[in-house]
Amino acid sequence: MPKTSPEDTQEPTSKADTLAPRRYVEKIAQSVIRWSPLSGTTWLVGHAILSQDWLMALILFPVTTVCAVWSSYSEAFTEKLIEIYRGRGISDAEGLVKWKDALDETIKWQLSGFDQKYLKCQGSQCSEQITEGFTPQGLFVADLEDVFVPLAISREFIHCDDGRRLPMQPGLGGQNIEQMTTEANIWQLLAETPQRQSLRQMAILAYGGYGKTTLLKHITYTYATGRQGRYKAPKLIPVLLYLRKWQKVIAEEKPTLPDLIIKHHFPSLPGGQDLEAPPHWAKLLLKKGKALVMFDGFDEVAPSLRPAVSQWITEQMQNYGKPVFILTSRPGGYDHYTAEKPKTKLRVLPFNSQQRQEFITKWYVAQESIVRDRQKRKQAQQSATEKSANLIRQIEQQPELADMAKNPLLLNMIAFYHRSRSGQELPPYRAALYKEICKVQLGDRPIFKLIDLPLEAGESQQVLQTLALEMMHQNQERLTKAEMIQIVDPRLKAVGATVEGENFVDLIAEVSELLVEPEKNEYEFAHLSFQAFLAANEIMHRDAEDLLVEKWQEDWWKDTMLFYAGSVRNPSSFLRKLLDKGEEAVSLADACRKNTSKKIDRSIEIQLRGIDSQIGKLRYEKLEGFLKNGQWKEADKETFQVMLEVLGKEKDDYFTREELFNFPCKDLLKIDGLWLQYSKINGVSKFGFSLQKEILKKCGYKLDGSDPPSEVLNDFLDEVGWRDKKTEKWHDPTYILDISIKTGNLPRYGELGGCNSSITSRLANCSR
């Protein structure tokens, strides 16, 4: 056996044994500190007494006393000091260990590639072209990037260096004004976010079907696939949150934004259930400004929840000031955003002719390519070219269709109908188009899918009409499955159907997709316009147009009225009842007339012939009153609203250059004439479009509708007094004193901005 040393046989040292030497040393140190001053003075006092040096002894005695006090003080002091630094040493050691553990954890998560895993999940949710509200199963699902057409966005305001907002004007110069063009795409705006704080909070507004959700999906997919570099946009992590989906969570639970992302958003993504985020991942992403947070569809939030949701969104934007936030909404819904709104408001512009052609071409190429294999791609391209050319021709030749095709959703519907009815001409009115789409979805589509619906197409539509009208009465866009069953069951029994309500709802959603299931056991119509169309048809079926007449002042029912006028065999009775409501209903009656191709009864033809003059009188009455009274600011704002009304736009909407360049001459001359008439001093007019036209010509503009060169525009701005020539700063729009200000200063078109060249160019082509 090997020899054992004394150390090998020694018992393990106890904790008390190891502490004993350290305590002994501490006591020695304390004694030295305590007694070294005292022992020295004691020896001196003793020596003085022995030498009978009483004076020295007397002098040293107080010193000796102080030293004695010091010894007592220092004992407590050193003990406490040792205690404090022992605790700090332990704390520092623990901190070092925690820092090392955190560093190890950070390295682990960096090596795990979590960001890429998340981006893959988020991107896969947005990769396909599934148009919000319209995805018929007869269409083949294409990749979003194969058919996406960039949307034009109106940058409504410029910001001065003092924060004031002014209407946009193209070609503005001067270092004190942020120069912006009238139109941009989202990537131009995102590229500017590092330099422009205001663009880190954007509200993008558009009416239904104008592609708000598709735009956010495009942004998300582009970032998720790392392609944002081609647009020179900053590198960000996208988070796309559908407010319709999370409204109750936000309003009731009030989570922090990081908690909403981690606890709710992650699990909802394809494959997101397996995501395990690093500690504080979302919070750090937001704090560092590395996130792009998109809130989609504020208008889809229930009215009762909008105050809470708007307050929550604003709080998140205030708590995290560095990320980029984008909120989308319909304009009407955005009016109910009760908290502090995002800093920059933007509008999605309608598709112009070029965008329509690009979309149709891409759409047909995608559909025809999916049908054929790779060996027949040439045939697919040729077929797509022929079909898209035919559709483009029909749209351009029919003004009603061209107007509908400005809406991407309606254009998608038109393209689908055109493809399913190859070789046929398109119906020119919206009601007729929706009627044909319902036929395809409820009749042709089940046959194509080899699925037998329990009811004929007409019977299925009758049941859906009952459902749609009841939802209109309830002011609801969405119901639970149980609520829908309760509505459709009686109608199913009335038509003699053997199918139960639950199966009917499931089949309609599965086969026709006129109903969709955005949340489990919650259903809605594919688009609110389908609900309005079907409700109008049910009112027609019940011969209950008086119901619509009662609702004529409610915006919720307006689309249903327009569909009714376009669907009913003879809309004369309905129009007469609207006209009987008085002057305020005249515009609605006129809009209904424009939505029908039906012949009007002779009994009211005379009354309808005068509708234009009646509308014109009412339309300009308020403007004329302001001008008569010299209320120039009020007249300027009213001019903007009148021009919107002439083009059939909603209040506080916007114009495109194309719309202004083709503005109706009759109305343009009327507006100009009123300004000229009531702004005269000594018989000479001060304000009016025609005066601005002459000033632009004098400055060198050719009146061709294009953007004037910057030097021409700057001269014009100085001539009409829209900016200070010396400082090159704009005057605020409220800088309107009296009629003595410069000739041509008004109208400034409210928030129209940037389009004086278009409107004056149009005026040059209008003759009095």
Side-chain angles (χ1 to χ4, degrees):
M1 293 185 63
K3 293 182 180 181
T4 59
S5 65
E7 289 79 10
D8 295 331
T9 58
Q10 189 175 347
E11 291 294 325
T13 305
S14 67
K15 184 176 181 181
D17 292 338
T18 59
L19 290 175
R22 188 172 71 189
R23 289 175 179 168
Y24 180 73
V25 172
E26 289 175 359
K27 287 181 179 180
I28 292 175
Q30 291 174 4
S31 298
V32 170
I33 295 170
R34 290 174 55 200
W35 299 110
S36 58
L38 183 61
S39 60
T41 56
T42 303
W43 181 85
L44 291 172
V45 171
H47 181 272
I49 292 173
L50 291 175
S51 303
Q52 296 184 354
D53 189 350
W54 306 113
L55 180 60
M56 180 60 71
L58 185 62
I59 293 172
L60 291 174
F61 181 75
V63 177
T64 304
T65 303
V66 170
C67 289
V69 173
W70 164 258
S71 68
S72 298
Y73 168 82
S74 62
E75 180 182 9
F77 178 83
T78 54
E79 286 179 356
K80 190 63 178 178
L81 194 63
I82 291 170
E83 179 185 341
I84 291 172
Y85 276 93
R86 181 184 294 119
R88 288 191 179 180
I90 294 171
S91 176
D92 290 345
E94 290 175 347
L96 179 62
V97 172
K98 289 181 180 178
W99 175 81
K100 179 180 176 300
D101 291 343
L103 181 63
D104 293 343
E105 190 75 7
T106 301
I107 294 173
K108 184 186 94 172
W109 284 113
Q110 286 180 343
L111 294 175
S112 71
F114 174 79
D115 285 2
Q116 292 305 315
K117 292 178 182 178
Y118 163 72
L119 289 173
K120 182 178 180 181
C121 295
Q122 178 69 92
S124 64
Q125 188 189 48
C126 306
S127 61
E128 296 179 332
Q129 189 238 355
I130 301 176
T131 303
E132 182 76 8
F134 184 73
T135 314
Q137 291 192 7
L139 292 178
F140 297 98
V141 178
D143 289 340
L144 177 63
E145 296 307 293
D146 287 342
V147 296
F148 180 78
V149 174
L151 299 176
I153 296 176
S154 170
R155 312 168 84 168
E156 290 189 321
F157 296 100
I158 58 173
H159 294 74
C160 292
D161 55 353
D162 60 1
R164 291 181 293 108
R165 299 194 309 172
L166 297 174
M168 289 183 307
Q169 301 291 338
L172 287 176
Q175 59 183 2
N176 296 313
I177 298 177
E178 294 184 358
Q179 188 170 343
M180 292 187 176
T181 56
T182 55
E183 294 182 12
N185 64 50
I186 190 61
W187 293 109
Q188 291 172 320
L189 299 173
L190 287 170
E192 295 176 12
T193 55
Q195 292 78 38
R196 297 187 190 277
Q197 183 67 34
S198 60
L199 289 178
R200 294 181 193 173
Q201 293 182 16
M202 291 184 274
I204 298 179
L205 309 182
Y207 295 102
Y210 274 82
K212 301 181 296 294
T213 299
T214 302
L215 175 63
L216 296 193
K217 288 173 66 177
H218 162 70
I219 296 169
T220 303
Y221 185 74
T222 302
Y223 266 108
T225 53
R227 300 176 184 175
Q228 76 284 347
R230 68 177 70 174
Y231 303 110
K232 299 181 180 179
K235 188 175 182 180
L236 301 169
I237 300 292
V239 180
L240 177 54
L241 301 169
Y242 298 107
L243 291 176
R244 177 176 60 185
K245 188 172 187 176
W246 305 120
Q247 56 180 317
K248 290 184 179 179
V249 173
I250 291 171
E252 296 172 4
E253 299 181 19
K254 296 180 174 60
T256 65
L257 182 54
D259 281 347
L260 181 66
I261 294 171
I262 299 295
K263 296 179 181 179
H264 300 280
H265 178 58
F266 276 13
S268 73
L269 296 174
Q273 300 86 348
D274 300 327
L275 286 175
E276 183 182 354
H280 311 298
W281 178 82
K283 186 175 182 179
L284 291 173
L285 201 69
L286 294 166
K287 287 287 187 182
K288 294 179 180 179
K290 299 296 184 182
L292 169 58
V293 183
M294 293 164 280
F295 301 112
D296 183 52
F298 179 77
D299 58 289
E300 297 176 352
V301 174
S304 61
L305 300 180
R306 286 175 183 173
V309 172
S310 59
Q311 183 61 41
W312 182 87
I313 292 173
T314 295
E315 288 176 357
Q316 306 315 307
M317 291 191 297
Q318 291 173 345
N319 292 340
Y320 304 100
K322 292 184 178 180
V324 177
F325 290 93
I326 298 177
L327 172 72
T328 65
S329 178
R330 296 185 189 187
Y334 192 62
D335 289 341
H336 298 284
Y337 192 99
T338 56
E340 183 179 341
K341 295 183 177 181
K343 292 183 175 68
T344 300
K345 184 174 71 172
L346 305 162
R347 298 264 191 169
V348 174
L349 299 177
F351 267 4
N352 57 32
S353 178
Q354 182 179 348
Q355 288 171 308
R356 293 197 298 267
Q357 293 181 26
E358 182 181 355
F359 175 83
I360 292 170
T361 302
K362 284 185 171 182
W363 188 90
Y364 255 118
V365 168
Q367 292 296 315
E368 296 297 317
S369 297
I370 294 172
V371 173
R372 295 167 174 79
D373 56 32
R374 289 183 177 275
Q375 285 71 30
K376 297 182 179 179
R377 285 294 173 89
K378 187 175 181 180
Q379 295 178 355
Q381 183 68 45
Q382 182 178 353
S383 175
T385 300
E386 293 173 355
K387 292 178 179 179
S388 60
N390 179 272
L391 177 55
I392 291 169
R393 175 188 60 79
Q394 291 195 54
I395 290 175
E396 297 300 331
Q397 290 179 352
Q398 299 186 53
E400 174 73 14
L401 284 177
D403 188 61
M404 291 172 60
K406 293 177 181 178
N407 183 310
L409 174 63
L410 293 181
L411 181 57
N412 198 32
M413 291 181 180
I414 292 170
F416 168 67
Y417 177 80
H418 181 262
R419 188 169 183 271
S420 64
R421 292 284 195 272
S422 182
Q424 295 186 19
E425 292 295 306
L426 295 169
Y429 286 88
R430 191 166 66 128
L433 180 63
Y434 274 64
K435 180 179 179 180
E436 293 301 323
I437 289 173
C438 285
K439 283 182 181 179
V440 171
Q441 296 302 95
L442 295 172
D444 296 352
R445 191 51 50 212
I447 296 173
F448 179 84
K449 297 283 292 180
L450 301 178
I451 296 176
D452 290 329
L453 286 179
L455 298 176
E456 297 292 332
E459 293 175 330
S460 294
Q461 182 168 325
Q462 287 178 25
V463 177
L464 291 176
Q465 288 174 187
T466 302
L467 176 62
L469 183 57
E470 182 59 32
M471 291 174 72
M472 291 299 299
H473 279 302
Q474 295 183 22
N475 200 27
Q476 293 290 334
E477 296 182 30
R478 184 188 301 186
L479 296 176
T480 65
K481 190 174 185 179
E483 290 169 332
M484 281 198 171
I485 292 170
Q486 190 175 2
I487 296 170
V488 302
D489 264 339
R491 189 61 183 264
L492 286 169
K493 292 177 182 177
V495 297
T498 57
V499 65
E500 297 292 331
E502 181 175 4
N503 292 335
F504 176 81
V505 171
D506 288 339
L507 281 170
I508 294 298
E510 177 185 348
V511 180
S512 76
E513 290 195 351
L514 287 176
L515 287 178
V516 295
E517 186 181 14
E519 299 288 343
K520 186 172 178 59
N521 290 324
E522 292 186 1
Y523 288 83
E524 62 186 22
F525 283 96
H527 193 266
L528 188 58
S529 56
F530 279 111
Q531 182 174 317
F533 169 76
L534 291 167
N537 277 266
E538 182 61 17
I539 290 171
M540 215 167 37
H541 175 76
R542 298 183 186 184
D543 194 20
E545 73 177 24
D546 286 344
L547 165 65
L548 282 181
V549 176
E550 292 174 6
K551 305 287 187 181
W552 74 272
Q553 290 179 300
E554 299 181 26
D555 288 340
W556 171 251
W557 288 88
K558 182 177 179 180
D559 216 22
T560 305
M561 296 181 202
L562 296 178
F563 274 120
Y564 178 82
S567 302
V568 70
R569 180 173 298 177
N570 188 342
S572 301
S573 172
F574 180 56
L575 294 175
R576 182 187 297 111
K577 291 174 182 177
L578 288 179
L579 292 171
D580 289 342
K581 291 295 180 180
E583 296 179 348
E584 293 182 0
V586 171
S587 294
L588 177 60
D590 187 49
C592 289
R593 182 187 67 165
K594 292 176 180 177
N595 272 269
T596 182
S597 60
K598 309 294 174 54
K599 185 177 180 180
I600 306 299
D601 287 353
R602 287 191 177 186
S603 60
I604 62 169
E605 275 185 2
I606 297 175
Q607 187 175 2
L608 285 176
R609 278 183 201 151
I611 195 170
D612 287 331
S613 59
Q614 187 177 0
I615 289 173
K617 181 180 177 181
L618 294 172
R619 178 176 290 157
Y620 298 110
E621 189 173 55
K622 193 173 181 181
L623 172 60
E624 189 168 7
F626 287 140
L627 291 170
K628 277 183 180 180
N629 297 325
Q631 295 173 276
W632 308 115
K633 287 188 289 188
E634 291 79 2
D636 188 45
K637 292 178 181 178
E638 181 63 18
T639 297
F640 180 72
Q641 296 302 328
V642 167
M643 293 174 71
L644 287 173
E645 188 178 337
V646 169
L647 294 179
K649 290 179 169 287
E650 301 290 334
K651 182 180 179 182
D652 297 325
D653 205 337
Y654 54 90
F655 301 102
T656 65
R657 287 184 169 279
E658 183 180 11
E659 289 170 337
L660 289 173
F661 195 64
N662 294 285
F663 198 85
C665 282
K666 177 182 176 183
D667 295 280
L668 183 57
L669 292 171
K670 176 67 175 179
I671 295 170
D672 184 49
L674 289 172
W675 277 97
L676 294 173
Q677 179 182 350
Y678 292 106
S679 66
K680 288 181 178 180
I681 297 180
N682 299 324
V684 180
S685 299
K686 291 280 292 185
F687 305 140
F689 291 138
S690 55
L691 298 178
Q692 294 173 351
K693 178 191 73 174
E694 295 303 320
I695 294 171
L696 269 171
K697 284 175 62 178
K698 176 184 173 183
C699 293
Y701 182 55
K702 297 180 180 179
L703 298 177
D704 57 2
S706 62
D707 282 347
S710 58
E711 61 274 10
V712 171
L713 184 56
N714 287 334
D715 288 345
F716 172 77
L717 299 178
D718 296 335
E719 286 291 326
V720 298
W722 286 4
R723 73 168 190 169
D724 188 301
K725 188 173 183 179
K726 294 181 179 179
T727 64
E728 296 187 345
K729 284 188 176 182
W730 272 60
H731 292 306
D732 190 282
T734 60
Y735 180 71
I736 302 173
L737 302 176
D738 53 45
I739 203 168
S740 66
I741 57 179
K742 288 194 173 187
T743 298
N745 187 278
L746 296 173
R748 288 182 69 167
Y749 333 138
E751 294 179 0
L752 175 60
C755 297
N756 57 294
S757 56
S758 296
I759 201 70
T760 52
S761 297
R762 176 57 174 165
L763 188 60
N765 296 320
C766 295
S767 57
R768 293 190 183 277

